[in-house]
Amino acid sequence: MTFGDVATVLSGLLVLRDGETTDDTVDGFVETDSREIVPGGIFVAKPGETTDGHAFVGVARERGARLAIVEHPVDDDITQIVVPDAVEALGALASHVVAAVRSSGRLRVVGITGSNGKTTTKNLLDAVLSPRAATVAPKNSFNNAVGAPTTMLRVTGDSEFLVSEMGASGPGQIARLVRMVTPDIGVVLKVGLAHAGGFGGLEETFAEKSAMVTSLPDTAVAVLNLDDDRVAAMADLTAARVVFFGLADAAHVRATDVDSDRTGTRFTLVLPSGEARPVRFRVLGEHHISNALAAAAVATELGVPLDDIVAGLETVTRAERWRMEVLGGRDDVTIINDAYNASPDSMAAALKTLAVITPPEGRRVAVLGTMAELGEFAGDEHDRIGLLAVRLRVDRLVVVGTDARRLHISAINEGSWDGESVFVETADEAYAYLSDELRAGDTVLVKSSNSAGLRHLGDRLGELFSW
């Protein structure tokens, strides 16, 4: 695009660097982090909570940025487009670029949302689609008002698939992302209490997640989780053709013959045509079967043969860094590092996985930290997880951090335990305790929200018991 093209799309004020004209072009990626800039790109100077992107325009220029999108002119030798809101401008540019690539008729857009499982499903779908055609998918968990459009802006004229994670921590955010690029296929995985503090409760979360499918045209496809009653109910809210996935017999894409252990999960993948294939799925936890089914449903709609879907699913060995990541192995001690995100649903699923995969002769050890962003629901939900740990017969519960202490209290108040639950203030204290406590045959789950920092504890324990 030319400088003039970009300024027109953004309705911004173009301030040209000496010697440059409106017909000069940009052809690199668009970034909000100056460290990620490559030559020919655009730097979006986004104001932040602790730092202001305007202070890094010069760094971006030195790294090769040709254009800066700013909210006020900066004294750097670079062409700038001044806009009222840099994040809104980022979204507008993404919408324009995707529409332009789409006009060729090749690009298909998949939008994925849900309280849990977005990143895993994105990774699985990327593994299935990438061998077939040029596919753009988010790095890490780029799914918010900045990360999603940044990913969208990586499409080129050769791109055939754009997989877009669409997350939200407050009302209206998913609808905004959907408006940027109305998906050809919209996926809803689950409605739960993740980020409930920002929404207000399950009904509000339902309203937010349903925005993925309510505005889809009748030419689109809504891929919905039949095992989640709230998600299944979204079938009545969309004009799109509905494809259900799940374990239920009525699901169009389903799994049968499910079996799990510490090496992964085995199941039979069944498609609407009746075709079926066994899958050796190495992502730990039966709850991730739902994500695999969602990816398979999308891939089927995009024309991927069943054998290629299975091959893609079987290449994925972990959901994502710090998500059900299997570490250790020495002395038959298995560390499951799942401490990047934690909601009540994902915490419960991880604990149930721990209960299912621990061999009869081994101990179930759960190292749990806080579940963040639950607002008024935090106390009750930590209570519920503490009780669940007892009922699943976790042999040793280690609760880390003041924000999670209520989970420890709930467990010991259950009355059936005598010393099985331990509370410590810090990850270092937990490491010191576990270094002495763990023994051969233990299976250890480390689970918390990212803010608790227990992912680093999981890494340390994995290293301690590595070969």
Side-chain angles (χ1 to χ4, degrees):
M1 298 176 67
T2 68
F3 292 159
D5 291 337
V6 179
T8 299
V9 169
L10 303 185
S11 300
L13 174 64
L14 180 60
V15 182
L16 290 165
R17 176 186 181 185
D18 285 346
E20 294 185 333
T21 72
T22 58
D23 292 328
D24 285 328
T25 60
V26 286
D27 58 7
F29 293 122
V30 181
E31 304 287 357
T32 61
D33 186 337
S34 60
R35 296 167 296 184
E36 299 294 326
I37 286 289
V38 296
I42 299 175
F43 176 61
V44 180
K46 178 182 72 71
E49 293 180 4
T50 56
T51 59
D52 187 342
H54 292 80
F56 298 93
V57 172
V59 175
R61 175 181 52 77
E62 290 171 1
R63 292 186 61 85
R66 293 221 54 203
L67 176 66
I69 297 173
V70 296
E71 294 184 359
H72 56 78
V74 295
D75 188 19
D76 278 293
D77 189 22
I78 186 173
T79 292
Q80 305 163 39
I81 298 176
V82 184
V83 296
D85 187 310
V87 174
E88 290 290 335
L90 178 67
L93 187 59
S95 182
H96 172 84
V97 168
V98 171
V101 175
R102 240 176 173 171
S103 65
S104 69
R106 296 180 62 187
L107 183 66
R108 304 287 300 281
V109 178
V110 180
I112 302 172
T113 196
S115 299
N116 305 108
K118 295 183 293 297
T119 299
T120 302
T121 304
K122 171 264 296 184
N123 288 341
L124 294 170
L125 190 54
D126 188 25
V128 172
L129 296 179
S130 291
R132 296 182 62 82
T135 302
V136 174
K139 298 183 297 182
N140 302 319
S141 294
F142 280 19
N143 60 31
N144 61 12
V146 174
T150 300
T151 297
M152 296 169 189
L153 282 161
R154 300 185 87 83
V155 299
T156 71
D158 295 326
S159 301
E160 293 194 28
F161 302 119
L162 167 61
V163 180
S164 182
E165 261 190 76
M166 296 183 178
S169 56
Q173 295 177 12
I174 290 175
R176 177 176 179 271
L177 295 175
V178 170
R179 284 194 299 270
M180 283 184 200
V181 286
T182 302
D184 298 291
I185 301 176
V187 183
V188 186
L189 301 169
K190 192 170 186 61
V191 172
L193 280 175
H195 307 296
F199 293 121
L202 280 172
E203 294 312 310
E204 292 79 5
T205 303
F206 170 85
E208 178 67 18
K209 301 302 181 186
S210 65
M212 172 60 74
V213 298
T214 51
S215 59
L216 292 181
D218 58 9
T219 55
V221 179
V223 175
L224 303 176
N225 183 359
L226 189 58
D227 297 334
D228 185 306
D229 291 342
R230 290 182 175 85
V231 176
M234 294 179 191
D236 297 329
L237 303 179
T238 184
R241 177 167 58 87
V242 173
V243 173
F244 286 119
F245 66 90
L247 299 178
D249 291 340
H252 299 102
V253 177
R254 57 195 176 92
T256 62
D257 309 318
V258 176
D259 183 44
S260 296
D261 59 25
R262 290 196 288 184
T263 65
T265 307
R266 292 160 296 282
F267 64 93
T268 299
L269 174 60
V270 184
L271 298 187
S273 63
E275 285 186 282
R277 295 286 189 281
V279 180
R280 182 72 168 105
F281 191 47
R282 289 184 287 174
V283 178
L284 197 63
E286 288 187 12
H287 54 293
H288 284 306
I289 293 177
S290 180
N291 303 324
L293 294 176
V298 173
T300 300
E301 290 297 319
L302 293 173
V304 182
L306 176 55
D307 288 341
D308 291 349
I309 293 172
V310 172
L313 294 177
E314 291 186 339
T315 63
V316 181
T317 59
R318 65 182 184 188
E320 179 66 270
R321 181 81 167 99
W322 299 310
R323 289 176 170 89
M324 297 302 285
E325 185 174 13
V326 180
L327 305 170
R330 181 175 57 80
D331 298 332
D332 196 31
V333 174
T334 297
I335 309 296
I336 305 168
N337 194 356
D338 192 29
Y340 189 82
N341 275 322
S343 68
D345 288 331
S346 68
M347 185 77 84
L351 284 170
K352 290 173 184 176
T353 296
L354 176 67
V356 168
I357 68 172
T358 302
E361 65 278 8
R363 293 191 305 170
R364 305 164 176 173
V365 181
V367 185
L368 306 181
T370 187
M371 298 178 288
E373 299 184 61
L374 292 180
E376 64 182 287
F377 303 96
D380 290 344
E381 292 303 322
H382 282 85
D383 286 346
R384 187 170 71 86
I385 295 301
L387 297 179
L388 180 63
V390 175
R391 290 165 186 168
L392 290 174
R393 299 185 178 183
V394 170
D395 297 290
R396 182 71 77 233
L397 176 63
V398 181
V399 179
V400 186
T402 302
D403 290 344
R405 191 170 187 272
R406 187 159 167 174
L407 193 159
H408 165 69
I409 298 299
S410 297
I412 62 177
N413 283 345
E414 187 71 354
S416 61
W417 281 10
D418 181 19
E420 288 92 339
S421 184
V422 175
F423 172 76
V424 295
E425 292 280 359
T426 68
D428 286 342
E429 292 177 72
Y431 180 80
Y433 171 78
L434 290 162
S435 298
D436 292 333
E437 173 64 25
L438 295 180
R439 63 191 190 215
D442 284 349
T443 303
V444 185
L445 169 69
V446 183
K447 178 73 173 169
S448 72
S449 287
N450 195 16
S451 60
L454 296 197
R455 63 194 185 281
H456 304 303
L457 171 63
D459 285 343
R460 292 176 69 189
L461 292 172
E463 184 177 347
L464 179 64
F465 287 97
S466 65
W467 289 100

